[in-house]
């Protein structure tokens, strides 16, 4: 097992020179890609760009040490900005920071309680829909950068995409996105092209923040005010982080500690809050840049992404400001294309998959794109999957009738899973008036799952009793017998 925490990070410096080079360059590419997005998210939250940029620095550095998923990028994210924006707009930055700290504490508690185990209840169809919706959102986020802009933006974007397609065929020593950003910046500056740049998004910070407590009264009223926002931040942040971690697990074919990731996200938010930063969580687009495009696999890339982000803002502000937005748009368009699971929508796949699976994937995509909220889409997808599963299982409850030769008894053999969806119609399939006085309801090939199933059995026996007949429930064993004995009114 590799060492954990800071020991693991330090241990990664003893990697091969090629791996070290890959991690360093990946961190630089991610830092460059973070700047315009984080500034945009800062605008959404209603805070100065420096608040989001410093939050991204602290979040990335802290999570690289305490998080559970190597190579995943966490920073000031759009989902968190959307959740926290109303609080900042109505009550000010101090309350926003207090909510970030409280949200971090809630994440630590939820992580310690094992909330990450809930990930196993997210179906694969939802995961595929989540990935495809993410790709769509990444692309849609670039569309405004291609509207009402000088004509030179379009050939720059096309040229950047072409570079990222062709350059890996020449060499993979240097990440293609970094080459694209550098080349397009040199072309823009050298040719004097008047196109939108990173600097147009807002001024970059010039000094380090100081740690401190949020400027709010420490009263019960303050706690009551910020608590709903903190809970929403914690849940949305954990959901996006855990889904992203699972996605990276699949991409890299390596496991990760989801409990540690949950706690680590909370620790990162607490630290970020004390430095006056915007809350954060996993950033899926930048994670795809880091893992899939740049080839990073260790915590070093995450750590360096945060460090490079700070250094770029503090020491190379003018140079970073000169990067054309077209270069970053090209990078994110490529990320969108490579993130989308194209195989999931091929005719062969759609013919092979059950209709319900495809519907769940589609519901997830539609809700994510419609709300621009990955958490909402995942919840909708899981609910749709639950409905599909319930409908599928409900149809498996069958009834076979066997009558004794002398007509003295009748035996109903029930097979399948009995729960609220499948058991409710079962009582209507018995011939209460025409059956003899002795009835056997054989559940040896059935399973009871909930109180609804037990209540239906009680209804059946009660209807026979009203007619002076005796119905006996047999065949229950183990947990099913225990459930029936505990819940049945006629036990």
């Amino acid at each position: 097992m590799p060492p954990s925490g800071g020991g693991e990070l330090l241990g990664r410096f003893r990697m091969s020179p090629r791996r070290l080079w890959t991690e360093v360059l990946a961190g630089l590419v991610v830092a460059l890609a973070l700047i315009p997005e984080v500034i945009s998210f800062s605008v959404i939250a209603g805070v100065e760009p420096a608040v989001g940029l410093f939050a991204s620095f602290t979040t990335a550095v802290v999570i690289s040490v305490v998080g559970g998923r190597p190579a995943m990028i966490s920073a000031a994210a759009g989902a968190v900005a959307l959740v926290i924006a109303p609080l900042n707009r109505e009550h000010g930055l101090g309350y926003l920071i207090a909510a970030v700290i409280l949200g971090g504490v809630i994440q630590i508690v939820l992580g310690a309680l094992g909330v990450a185990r809930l990930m196993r209840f997210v179906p694969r169809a939802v995961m595929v829909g989540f990935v495809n919706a993410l790709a769509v959102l990444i692309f849609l986020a670039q569309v405004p950068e291609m509207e009402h802009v000088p004509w030179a933006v379009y050939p720059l974007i096309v040229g950047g995409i072409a570079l990222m397609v062709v350059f890996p065929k020449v060499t993979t020593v240097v990440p293609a996105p970094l080459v694209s950003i550098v080349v397009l910046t040199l072309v823009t500056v050298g040719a004097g092209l008047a196109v939108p740049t990173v600097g147009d998004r807002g001024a970059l910070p010039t000094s380090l923040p100081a740690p401190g407590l949020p400027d709010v009264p420490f009263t019960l009223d303050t706690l009551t005010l910020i608590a709903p926002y903190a809970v929403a931040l914690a849940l949305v942040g954990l959901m996006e982080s855990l889904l992203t971690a699972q996605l990276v697990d699949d991409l890299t074919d390596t496991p990760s500690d989801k409990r540690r990731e949950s706690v680590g996200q909370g620790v990162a938010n607490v630290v970020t809050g004390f430095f006056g930063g915007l809350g954060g969580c996993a950033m899926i687009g930048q994670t795809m840049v880091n893992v899939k495009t740049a080839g990073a696999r260790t915590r070093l890339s995450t750590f360096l992404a945060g460090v490079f982000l700070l250094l770029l803002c503090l020491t190379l502000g003018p140079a970073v400001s000169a990067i054309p937005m077209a270069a970053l748009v090209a990078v994110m368009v490529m990320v969108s294309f490579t993130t989308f699971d194209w195989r999931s929508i091929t005719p062969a796949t759609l013919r092979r998959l059950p209709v319900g699976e495809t519907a769940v994937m589609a519901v997830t995509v539609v809700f994510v794109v419609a709300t621009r909220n990955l958490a909402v889409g995942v919840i909708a997808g899981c609910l749709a999957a639950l409905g599909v599963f319930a409908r599928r299982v409900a149809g498996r409850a069958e009834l076979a009738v066997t009558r004794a030769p002398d007509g003295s008894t009748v035996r109903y053999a029930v097979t399948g899973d009995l729960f609220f969806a499948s058991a409710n119609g079962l009582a209507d399939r018995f011939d209460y008036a025409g059956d003899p006085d002795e009835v056997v309801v054989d559940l040896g090939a059935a399973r009871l799952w909930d109180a609804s199933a037990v209540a239906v059995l009680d209804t059946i026996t009660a209807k026979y009793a009203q007619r002076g007949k005796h119905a006996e429930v047999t065949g229950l064993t183990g947990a099913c017998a225990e459930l029936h004995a505990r819940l049945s009114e006629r036990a």
Side-chain angles (χ1 to χ4, degrees), residues 367-379:
F367 271 83
V368 170
V369 174
T371 64
R372 300 298 176 97
N373 190 320
L374 292 164
V376 171
V378 169
I379 292 172

Side-chain angles (χ1 to χ4, degrees), residues 90-168:
E90 296 172 14
H91 301 282
L93 181 61
Y95 288 89
L96 180 151
I97 294 171
V100 169
I101 295 173
L102 179 58
V105 172
I106 294 172
Q107 287 178 327
I108 293 172
V109 173
L110 291 175
L113 292 175
V115 70
R117 289 195 297 268
L118 296 176
M119 277 300 298
R120 67 178 183 266
F121 295 109
V122 179
R124 175 167 177 75
V126 174
M127 284 293 298
V128 174
F130 170 79
V131 171
N132 290 346
L134 163 66
V136 173
L137 287 186
I138 292 174
F139 180 81
L140 291 178
Q142 312 314 310
V143 172
E145 305 296 338
M146 296 182 275
E147 296 177 334
H148 311 297
V149 294
W151 67 268
V153 168
Y154 302 109
L156 286 173
I157 293 175
V158 173
I161 294 174
L163 271 173
M164 285 182 282
V165 172
V166 174
F167 192 80

Side-chain angles (χ1 to χ4, degrees), residues 91-96 98-99 213-226:
H91 301 282
L93 181 61
Y95 288 89
L96 180 151
L213 296 174
D215 184 19
V216 296
F218 292 89
T219 62
L220 184 59
D221 289 340
T222 299
L223 180 62
T224 304
L225 175 65
I226 67 173

